[in-house]
Amino acid sequence: MAEPSLAVRRKSRPGSVSKRSRAPVQPSAVCSPVARKRMSSGGEGPPAETPCSNESEEDMFGDHDSFYGNDSLLAEVDDIEKKYLQDKNTNIKVAGEIIMGNQSGFHQKKQDNFSNSENMIVLKAVKEDTLQMNENDLVDSNQELTGSILDDLPSSQLLCFEKMDELSSGSRISPVSERRNKCVNFSLDKIRSPSFCPDTEHRNRPTDFSSESKCDLFKTESLKDHLKSAMTGNAKAQTLQVSKTKQLKEAVLSEEICVARKTIESSSVDIGPFYGLPSKVKDLFRQFRGIEMLYEWQHECLMLESLQQRKNLIYSLPTSGGKTLVAEIIILQELLCRQKDVLMILPYVAIVQEKVRGLSSFGIELGFLVEEYAGSKGRFPPIKRRIKKSLYIATIEKGHALVNSLIETERIDDLGLVVVDELHMLGEGSRGATLEITLAKILYTSKNTQIIGMSATLNNVGDLQKFLQAEYYTNNFRPVELKEYVKIRDSIYAVDSKTENGFTFSRLLNFKYSSNLEKADPDHIIALVTEVIPKYSCLIFCPTKKNCENVASMLCKYLKKEFRAHRDKEKQDLIKNLENIGNGSVCPILKQTIPFGIAYHHSGLTNDERKSIEEAYSTGVLCLLACTATLAAGVNLPARRVILRAPYVANDFLKKNQYKQMIGRAGRAGIDSAGESILIVQEKDKHLVQDLVNSPLENCYSSLLLELTKGMQSLLLSLIGLKIAVTHEEVNNFMCSTLLGIQQQLLSKEKSLAEIIKDGLENLIEKGLLKGRICEKDHNSKCTLTITPLGKATYKGSIDLAYCNLLYRELKKGLEGLILESNLHLLYLATPYDMTSNCSPDWMIYLKQFNQLSAAEQKVLDIVGVPESFITKKASGQAIRKNVDSAVVNRLYLSFVLYTLLKETNIWSVSEKFNMSRGYVQNLLNSAASFASCVLHFSEELEEFWVYKALLTELTKKLTYCVKTELIPLMEVAGVLEARAKQLYNAGYKTLAHLANANPETLVKMIEHLSRRQAKQIVSSAKMLLSEKAEALQEEVEELLKVPTDIPGTC
């Protein structure tokens, strides 16, 4: 646990204390009547004409300072003034105490008389300018009170101050008047702009003014007349729409941001209130996350000299150690203090959406934008903001496209920081190759962009340090102790690396099994789970999706009926919610298991179902999930006990990285004192498991060579397209800085890296994506390579190089006769190529779908090359003589699925109609939306495909949301899926503005199954999206109104 000294405390700032925070002043003996009694209601005096500031104004108050009584503050002020003039030798300190007494007395009654509040503030201000004060007595109080008093002054009184200065400065301006002028101007500026960096220099100037200037001021005009003039102006002035308290808070926040920014720029040891950030950030972490203090390692990491010097950093800790909080603090430093944009790269769409929801509330409070780049969402290049900075939260693929667009528009230096979660994914196939390409480009093109990488499972850190030019920090801290166990038959062993075989006997399972139960549950899963549920939570990781469903179903058959009683009403509500999601349909297995607090969790669920189950588990309605390995790397769902059903993922033996991620879910910080993991092992796998638990983590190796078209060739194409490297020599230099370049001796034993590069460039020229020729190594010649229009469209559309030529031919063919009677032809062009290999059409369903098409739609089959006779013969089982491309046949079948889905907008009914799992249909829809976006960007780069731009824009939107048109504005909000959008729409929240201005408490009452936390996140996300759209429009307006600098005929 962190030491008490590490608790983050709000630091007070000199000179920024508001009026509300000052200690109350005891009223003196000479208090005004306002301070002694409440005014009684009374009539107004007759209006009188009074000269004030050379203008004739109606006296709205007569001798009264309010509409409520006869005891007038103005009369009292007048008496004090006369008394002062009669006795010039009166002690000035006593006079000051009288007026201060009046002010403190008034403060006790300020709720009764608003007008008095404003008058006393003016009195205080005039007093400072007219009475001769001792420098040592009052200068300190002036320093503290001047700014806060002027905060609450109406504009008419500020203008009155300016006029008084003009009158009193005939011969010369005193230093105090000059100081007050600066205060007034400062306050006026602050009213116009809530964001400012105050200049506190005026607070330190000496107070020195003569009796002559004091007398001149009294001769010019009486204090009473000044006050009347100010009050008259107040009565006529329009009330400011913005709360003064809010203005003050914004002013304090803005000043702290300025202080923090100066601190960081100066590399000072003093890091400010909260690691160089405004103290409000600490309050927000407490409010939104419940974080009172940082762990010791987090404080240590944030104070690293390498971070202070903005060096790149890799840090590694076990799962649940609190890595993300450190990254978020560094992100906020970059956004608020250094005023730079930030890119955060996360592995999965669901995690991106979760993070957007979580950080939107911070963006609303602190004045930055949170933009989602996942699936089909994201703008390339992003809008260049003039005022607010942006936090881009992106998947690996979208992060790469974003970086490309910033390099192309020469804005890569606007990106101050890149944060990569799950850095070990560098070694995982095509996605790892894309991540390596992204980071290599940032390192090569921007010397000012800092890179922070974090992971729980890193081994060969030295290679990664060389690649990222980074420092390394690691710690074994876990907030909750993790106890690892292995179960063999009915014995449980503790994992102990000190022993010879790695295991130490712990205990025997104490659970009576009948012969029938022993057959149904040979691995004793029931015995293991009943030790923790329903009081605590449990996760069971299973090798396959089917195994998840079987385990969940088996548990329910043999659990006692008492388990049903635990939170029964909430479980029934969950089933109703799932029925609403499925339009009356719910999975029979879930209907059976949920009453026992059990569910399965894998990719076979729809997005809405998965989200509902995750929320129910997080709130304790469900106490056990049978899940696949993807949950370990997905959203954060910890448990008291984690059980690994077998040491396999599908048919592959478990890797150490996967094992560590799964068991890392055990133990919930703040809830559990310890977490447990139990790996169920068969005798045949015992030796493999001993090696597994005692072996080091796997090394992380570059995937650029393994993924040729998505890796090496894709990188070479974009390097030349973005003009990062345009000669063979420059490409070689760049490649040496990649992870592949560092590991080339390990990975490319058959060929040298130079030979691999040369082969790649020649292949791209052969495909028509590059132009030029590869020169042999000759120092006297430089052969420049250029990209072709097709090559540019390919890398900008993020199209796999294996399919780019095929896509071009199909789009070209579509121009000859695009069928626009329906979406079918366009859907075929937007169906992902990489999903066709996993598709096995049901030929009877294929024929049935074909027969339901109109005559015009049936022409699409002829255009793409699938004749009706082929489908008919396949359905009837006849022999096929004519060869038809199976990839085209499968792709068309998937197009039928998407076509039906857009018409019915119901995944359940479509999955039943095509005999597919609803999870597969959901995945197809998500992939098609993303690929349609890629094809759109591809078409935008080729002038001949102009017709596709508008068509694909609309299609992408339909595929992204796949709902009725009226629900789309609501589903644009992060975290709002179809079922929730329907609830909101039916409750009257029909637009983005409705959601952004909604009261979370009202939402909770009106929307079923919506928690207060979820309601607040929805409102914050809606506000963020609305703000982002408004900012974009404002930027567009300013760009249109911008005066060109190159107008002909101008100097």
Side-chain angles (χ1 to χ4, degrees), residues 318-320 323 348 351 354 422 478 480 482 537-539 541 617 627 629-644 658-669 672 675-677:
T319 304
S320 305
K323 298 184 294 295
Y348 302 111
I351 304 178
E354 184 184 40
E422 310 294 354
R478 266 187 65 95
V480 177
L482 173 62
S537 57
C538 181
L539 293 174
F541 284 103
Y617 178 82
C627 52
T630 52
L631 186 139
V635 292
N636 187 24
L637 296 175
R640 173 66 171 268
R641 176 174 287 180
V642 169
I643 299 169
L644 280 69
Q658 294 170 323
Y659 172 72
K660 281 292 185 183
Q661 281 197 318
M662 289 180 191
I663 67 171
R665 294 299 185 196
R668 298 165 299 171
D672 300 327
E676 300 173 336
S677 72

Side-chain angles (χ1 to χ4, degrees), residues 373 377-382 397-403 405 933 937:
Y373 280 75
K377 293 184 179 179
R379 190 192 298 246
F380 305 102
E397 294 77 13
K398 288 293 180 179
H400 179 221
L402 178 67
V403 167
S405 68
S933 174
H937 293 304

Side-chain angles (χ1 to χ4, degrees), residues 525 540-549 551-552 625-629 643-646 648-650 662:
I525 295 173
I540 303 177
F541 284 103
C542 303
T544 65
K545 289 184 283 187
K546 189 63 180 173
N547 196 223
C548 292
E549 296 172 19
V551 166
L625 292 182
C627 52
T628 52
I643 299 169
L644 280 69
R645 173 75 179 73
Y648 290 91
V649 174
M662 289 180 191

Side-chain angles (χ1 to χ4, degrees), residues 869-870 873-874 878-884:
S869 59
F870 175 82
K873 288 179 180 179
K874 274 286 189 182
Q878 297 178 37
I880 307 293
R881 293 180 183 177
K882 185 179 179 182
N883 287 329
V884 178

